[in-house]
Structures are given as structure tokens and as C-alpha cells.
Amino acid sequence: IGYQNGKPQYKKFRSKKQGVVVDKMNTYKLSIGNAPAEVISGINLSSLLSLYTDMKKGSIRQASYDSLLVTQNLITSRIGKYYVPDLTPEIIQRQLINPMCETHAYSTIHKAYVLLNECLEFAIMKDYILKNPCRQVKMPSKENFESKEIRILSDDEIVAFKQAATSTKKTIAIPQYQYGLIITLIIYTGLRVGELCALRWEDVDFENRKLTVSKSVGVVRVSGKRTLIVQNTTKSGKTRYVPLNNSAIDILHRQHDLVGGDGQSFIVNGNADIDDKSVVATSYGKICDRAGIANHSGIHSLRHTFASLALKKGVDIKVISDILGHASVNFTYNTYVHIIEEQKLNAVDLLNNI
């Protein structure tokens, strides 16, 4: 594979099967851009995808990389056996995209298409193939997929939820739910549950009444084991500052009295241990059941509730988008367009009194 200090360097591949050795060798030749035409024609899509995703590993977050591997497996399980030069638009359409329309959400299909398209564009750049068959593949219309209904708690449900979340045990004056009080903070801040779990007391500025949101708890696979990590960026990749109203300030003071902790401690537990966001999310469902809230969906409903309350109070959508940490105002608008349209109708009705 080259020379170092005048001495030849070698790359060795081992396996009990000759075919496995050949695949390993050919994939390596692809990775260093030193694969002859006969090697390229003998590489299947599965090997090329593995090479491509491995190259992306250092440039994206671990959680994003794990998600990429899930998408990679969806593709390879369906068309990974095909040799790269043999791929056609018809194979991709009939054996990957169309069957997934029957079993997967639009976002999952879109991720599969994007990854495959990027991989094949990479293959063109490396002169492995001349044309990208993905360019002639037709994606399904997003409108054909049932959109997920956004669950927003009503005023009465909010009251019932807060009462249940802050309830105490009958036999001893301790909280019924470990995360009950701190979960209610989402109603006043719109935080994602991963962001809430990643907050430390040093991120709370009581004097200036704001939160610094720059991290999120994520789940990755380390040697096949589910592992919690604190990622240094939020979903949007930006640090943001969330204002705190009187109710939020009160919740945070009560939470500190409850769990304690110094600046480096997490606000959800008062110590340095990372709490599982899925456990916190499960607690939300139990609280809703106690409060008699039907069809409560997931804990993200509290984030939607915050956005809905802010819109109904007349807060500018750009401000709401910034607080929520959305990538764009358009995303915020499209997510809550039904609420915005309702506000427009109410505004027009007010003119009846003029």
C-alpha cells in the first residue's frame, strides 16, 4: 500500500472464507481510491454503504451516526446484495421505495432515499460509476401519508396535570413522582425532554431569569450496549437562551430545595449522574393517567402546549421559534399552522364589533 522510510507497507486481511477476504480487500481499495474497474464491478451496495457511512462517522454526532446505521440497514436488507454497477432506477423504486411506502413513515423513506443518493453521488465522484440511478427514482408524495396529530393540553388538563405531577404520597410527605415537578417546567419553557435532562444548575441564571440551552441527553450504542451521553449541541446545533417567567422561576427554586446540587449537578436529580430521558418521558404518561388525561400522547405534548399557549397570547412566531430552538421560522409555522389559522379567524371576528 506504499512505502515508509524506504520500506514497503502492507495491509493484511484474514478470514476463514476466501470470499470474505476478497470483499474486505476490495472495500479497502475503494476507501483509498485505488480500485480497478474489475474490483468496482464486483462491489455490492452493502459494502459501498458501509464505506460511506464509516467515512461520515467523525463528522456527525454519535446519535446521528447511530440513526444513519439504522437507515443503512433498511437499505441493505432490501437491495444491498446488488452490485453497484447493476443498480437501476427500477430496482430502487420497486424493491426499496415502493415497499417501504406500505410499512414506514414518509420521513423514514426520505432518509433512506437521501442516504442512498448521497452514497451513489460519492461513487460517481470516485469514478466508480458513471450515472446515479437514484436521480430517476420518484419519491412518494408526502400528502399521501397520514400526518401525526399534535396533542395540546387544554387549560383544564394543564391544571389537572400540574396537580397530579406535584402530588405527594399518602403515607409520607415525599413526591409521588420523582420527575413530576421538573417536568412541569416544559409547559413554561418548551424544552425538549433531552434538553431538560441535560440542564445543570449552572445553566440556570436566576438573576437574569433565563436558561442556557446548549446540550442534550442522547442514547448511543457502545459495543452493542445502550449508553447515555450528554451531547454538546442541541438538535438544531445552536446554543439558545430561554426566558423564565414567574412560574418557571418558582418551579426551579422548588426543584433545588427538593434535590439540591451544585453548579455541575443536573437539575432533574441534583447529582452528576445522567438520567434516562425515556424514563422521564414514561413518568409523564403515568402522571397523565393519574390526572385523568386521555389520549395524552408523549411528553412532547407539553412542548406543543407551550407553543400553543404562546401563540394564543400573541407572541410573535419568530420569538417562539427562537425559544423552541427550531431550525427555521418556516418549520415553526408549518408545525402550528392550524393554531395560527385559528388565530386569524378570531382576529377577523373581532372586527365585527367595529
Side-chain angles (χ1 to χ4, degrees):
I1 61 172
Y3 289 84
Q4 185 174 1
N5 299 326
K7 296 181 179 180
Q9 302 296 303
Y10 298 94
K11 180 74 175 178
K12 299 179 181 179
F13 305 92
R14 293 185 175 88
S15 177
K16 293 182 179 179
K17 296 184 179 180
Q18 181 179 345
V20 175
V21 172
V22 172
D23 283 343
K24 287 181 178 180
M25 181 177 67
N26 288 342
T27 301
Y28 178 75
K29 286 181 179 180
L30 279 173
S31 69
I32 63 175
N34 189 29
E38 61 269 18
V39 168
I40 297 167
S41 63
I43 286 291
N44 59 28
L45 179 61
S46 178
S47 298
L48 186 65
L49 276 169
S50 295
L51 166 66
Y52 181 71
T53 54
D54 192 56
M55 288 174 57
K56 291 177 71 73
K57 187 174 184 178
S59 60
I60 58 177
R61 294 189 306 172
Q62 181 64 45
S64 299
Y65 177 73
D66 287 348
S67 177
L68 202 66
L69 292 182
V70 173
T71 303
Q72 176 188 326
N73 289 335
L74 285 174
I75 299 172
T76 55
S77 65
R78 289 166 173 80
I79 58 173
K81 62 185 179 182
Y82 285 99
Y83 293 118
V84 176
D86 294 339
L87 277 175
T88 65
E90 291 75 21
I91 290 173
I92 298 171
Q93 188 79 58
R94 295 173 182 173
Q95 299 188 36
L96 177 67
I97 301 300
N98 291 354
M100 288 185 70
C101 291
E102 303 295 328
T103 55
H104 291 78
Y106 175 83
S107 59
T108 304
I109 301 169
H110 184 258
K111 287 177 183 177
Y113 174 85
V114 169
L115 176 58
L116 180 58
N117 185 59
E118 287 181 354
C119 181
L120 294 175
E121 287 294 328
F122 163 77
I124 290 176
M125 182 188 70
K126 300 286 283 184
D127 294 326
Y128 298 156
I129 54 176
L130 295 177
K131 294 181 180 180
N132 181 354
C134 256
R135 295 175 186 173
Q136 294 175 270
V137 171
K138 186 175 181 180
M139 279 289 290
S141 173
K142 190 174 183 179
E143 284 70 32
N144 294 336
F145 291 79
E146 190 175 319
S147 58
K148 201 172 183 181
E149 184 180 354
I150 291 177
R151 178 68 161 93
I152 295 169
L153 301 189
S154 66
D155 292 345
D156 290 341
E157 287 175 332
I158 291 172
V159 172
F161 179 84
K162 291 194 295 183
Q163 288 177 347
T166 55
S167 61
T168 57
K169 294 182 181 296
K170 292 181 179 180
T171 55
I172 185 171
I174 61 173
Q176 181 75 33
Y177 303 99
Q178 179 182 353
Y179 305 108
L181 175 62
I182 199 60
I183 284 176
T184 63
L185 184 68
I186 300 176
I187 299 173
Y188 303 102
T189 59
L191 293 172
R192 301 177 179 93
V193 64
E195 295 169 345
L196 176 69
C197 292
L199 279 177
R200 291 183 168 92
W201 286 116
E202 65 180 7
D203 298 318
V204 182
D205 187 342
F206 286 105
E207 183 177 350
N208 294 304
R209 301 170 67 87
K210 66 179 183 180
L211 289 175
T212 299
V213 184
S214 61
K215 297 176 177 64
S216 180
V217 169
V219 179
V220 298
R221 293 282 173 182
V222 178
S223 300
K225 184 180 179 182
R226 186 176 184 275
T227 305
L228 298 171
I229 62 167
V230 175
Q231 300 166 144
N232 290 325
T233 56
T234 58
K235 189 174 182 179
S236 66
K238 303 174 185 176
T239 295
R240 70 183 192 276
Y241 302 94
V242 176
L244 299 170
N245 62 12
N246 291 336
S247 296
I249 291 288
D250 177 61
I251 290 169
L252 287 165
H253 277 306
R254 289 164 60 194
Q255 178 71 6
H256 195 270
D257 291 341
L258 186 65
V259 302
D262 57 19
Q264 287 294 310
S265 302
F266 292 107
I267 70 171
V268 294
N269 55 28
N271 58 53
D273 297 328
I274 304 174
D275 271 0
D276 195 329
K277 63 180 183 179
S278 65
V279 174
V280 178
T282 300
S283 183
Y284 164 78
K286 293 178 180 178
I287 295 169
C288 284
D289 291 339
R290 183 185 180 93
I293 299 173
N295 303 318
H296 45 72
S297 190
I299 193 171
H300 215 67
S301 297
L302 295 181
R303 178 171 161 87
H304 293 318
T305 300
F306 163 82
S308 173
L309 291 173
L311 283 168
K312 289 178 180 178
K313 291 292 184 181
V315 180
D316 185 84
I317 192 167
K318 174 67 167 66
V319 175
I320 296 173
S321 185
D322 287 342
I323 292 174
L324 291 174
H326 284 166
S328 69
V329 177
N330 283 339
F331 181 84
T332 310
Y333 183 90
N334 292 332
T335 302
Y336 303 108
V337 64
H338 63 292
I339 301 173
I340 296 169
E341 293 301 320
E342 182 183 320
Q343 292 299 97
K344 286 180 182 178
L345 290 174
N346 292 338
V348 172
D349 287 341
L350 292 175
L351 298 178
N352 290 328
N353 300 322
I354 295 176

